[in-house]
Amino acid sequence: MRTLQGRRPVFWVALLLAALWPLLAHAQSGSSLERQVKAAYLYKFAGFVEWPDGSFARPDAPIVIGVAGADPLAEQLEQTVAGHTANGRPLQVRRVKRGDSLAGIHILFIPAHDKLLAQELLAASRGQPVLTVTDGDETFGMGSMINFVIADERLRFEVSLKHAAVARLKISARMLSAALRVQQVAG
């Protein structure tokens, strides 16, 4: 089992680039490469977030990453996290459908292409210790904590500390340093 704990930001970026280099060399389709990079980021995020007490049923409970409305991403993520841990916890992927409970989910990816689903899931997760991740400016404005963006032909992410604070989540400074933009808590 591998763990993310204790890694430096430079190591994290180098590891991500090294993992993606074969993908770039094989010139895969843009959507396939984007899906693989999103899966790698979702996996890495798990090691850089601190959840409040009571977020896990047991000390050995897995970090559950929910994926809504994006089955190809869920499949890629299952392959990416297989056999890995983050902060000493195994990782598990759960596909989320409209009307599903978010109980037990720690990270939730919500694609921007289904606005109604995004609204419902962001509303259901509000105030819960669930790290919400989206891929559209509109959904980021609805209350998502992390949003994927394309900048300089690369997939990057932005972070809203305000929304993370409402959910009582602490995002590592190392992760924040890798973000394209960080929206601070107004105060």
Side-chain angles (χ1 to χ4, degrees), residues 55-105:
S55 297
F56 296 91
R58 302 176 321 276
D60 62 342
I63 295 174
V64 178
I65 305 172
V67 178
D71 285 345
L73 177 61
E75 290 171 16
Q76 179 64 52
L77 186 58
E78 287 168 346
Q79 293 173 16
T80 301
V81 305
H84 293 273
T85 64
N87 296 329
R89 294 181 181 279
L91 297 161
Q92 187 177 78
V93 177
R94 182 185 308 164
R95 295 168 198 231
V96 177
K97 296 184 179 13
R98 182 171 272 117
D100 285 355
S101 168
L102 299 182
I105 292 178

Side-chain angles (χ1 to χ4, degrees), residues 49-56 106 127-130 164 167-170:
V49 174
E50 184 180 320
W51 283 268
D53 289 341
S55 297
F56 296 91
H106 303 98
Q128 301 299 313
V130 176
R168 302 175 323 278
L169 299 177
K170 294 179 184 169

Side-chain angles (χ1 to χ4, degrees), residues 138-156:
E138 198 171 306
T139 50
F140 192 51
M142 286 186 231
S144 174
M145 296 167 205
I146 296 178
N147 187 53
F148 289 125
V149 295
I150 303 293
D152 299 324
E153 298 182 26
R154 293 183 357 188
L155 186 70
R156 302 284 308 273

